[in-house]
Amino acid sequence: MTAANLANYRPISGDDIWILSASHKLATQGVFGSELYAGFFNADRHYFISLPGVHILQAVALHLPGNDLVNARWVSVVSGAVLLWAATALAWRWYGLAAGLVTSLLLLF
Amino acid sequence: MAWTWLTLLSLAALLRRPTAWRALATGVCAAAAALTQFFGAVAVVVVFVAWAGQQRRQTLTSNYTRWLVAGLLLVAGPYLLYTALHWPDALGQTVTIKGERATLGLPALVDNLGREPVRYRAVLNPGDAAGWVNLAGMAAAVVYLGLQLGRRATAGDRLLALTLGATLLFLALVDTTKAELYALPLLPALCVAVARLATGLWQAARTAPGVLAWVTRLALAAGFAFILWQGALFYVRDQLLARSVTDYHALGAAIEAAIPQGAGVAGTERWWWPLRQHPYLALNNLSLQWRVRRDERGTPPAYERLLAETGIEYILLNRNVYGDLAREPLALQEAFWAFIATCTTVAAEWDDPWYGEISLHAVGEDCRSSSSRLQTAFRQAHRRCGRTD
């Protein structure tokens, strides 16, 4: 359900695009930088405005077939699914199956 | 958050039965968490506190500790090297962006700690019944977890409490934005704690006297149904909004069509994607450069000259720009709006129900520099790298 109309919803924010700009350059030119910040301590070539984790994952996603913006947003959807699985698995292991199910439902709702 | 919880999953396995692979995986996940979001650093703290708590004196001599550190370095090492190689850029960018918000020294830390309730203001809204139900459930779960720690704590209780406590403390001490959004890392741990309380109470009701057992189970079922109902309503609302939202690409294409090919644009980051075939600078970038020059020279620089130097031909204004500029020094705001008033004319306007009012301003010839730094740099970059999209 979260992935419905991912190209437009939630509305594309400045942060979405600011993050995507560095991921896109990494994916297309192999340079970790953002053209948006050219002239600011070489941020178009050496990028330290945010940490690299999301950018690397998005750069990988941008190489997959499909719409670029949607691919980049899929990183967040998949991360959410991984978080749901990990938290559920831990709750199950620590406190039993019922706690695992309740955890997943609470996270989903 | 996903990396943090993968770290916890791996750490729990490591604490239960240590192996080299588990130690390595824990280190890798913790480093990935720390390199993904600033609050991911909590994962590294949790790993070492939990590991040292179990190994005690053998922590430093254990082979598994070496595997843990190896995992951390495997992921964080290349980035640390990259940072060291470009240290002046790393320092300049970080100090300019974070410098004014950094919490260095005890008074700043105490002040930051005192402002932490601001983050939770929305949850404490008196008119929000769902918020209060959630808050009551979470508070009860945390108290229950605390009681378990004092009596017969399991390994899960200890790790859960450590994660929750470390995240709370980290946010309170380090994060100066006090944004509600950054309370999200607490949510998974709180959900597990609530699940632990709910299932614990359900079990306890088995041995309780008849009426009390029924009241407990009924209260749990009602609370749970309320949360599911609220969540379902949210999903329905979200689906309806997703159907009515403006097509970002179509609006972006309309803006793009109003700008001559190759013309340089400055604006909010939001519209870079559809306009990325143009040289495009974030106005936030120019604000940062203004601050750098002010700090270097001790006096505010002429913003209009800074803007003119870029050779920008169009400026795209929307509510993001108004919001971002409102947080900048007054001298910068005045210079920017003076530039807009004296050097630009409105070329096109859009009014969108989702993205608000957008106006495209053409910069007059007199206010543009013939030696355009931006266009030169952009064209050089294109020649060097070639376009791949």
Side-chain angles (χ1 to χ4, degrees), chain B residues 71-86:
Chain B
L72 273 172
L73 289 177
L74 193 68
V75 174
Y79 188 66
L80 292 175
L81 185 66
Y82 173 79
T83 306
L85 287 173
H86 306 294

Side-chain angles (χ1 to χ4, degrees), chain B residues 286-304:
Chain B
L286 296 177
S287 299
L288 288 168
Q289 292 190 42
W290 183 90
R291 276 198 254 158
V292 171
R293 292 192 190 188
R294 178 199 62 186
D295 295 344
E296 279 173 358
R297 297 170 189 174
T299 54
Y303 185 76
E304 58 272 25

Side-chain angles (χ1 to χ4, degrees), chain B residues 7-45:
Chain B
T7 305
L8 291 177
L9 199 59
S10 182
L11 175 63
L14 176 70
L15 293 173
R16 202 169 55 248
R17 193 168 64 81
T19 67
W21 280 112
R22 287 177 177 181
L24 187 73
T26 305
V28 164
C29 291
L35 290 184
T36 301
Q37 253 292 2
F38 74 95
F39 48 72
V42 166
V44 180
V45 175

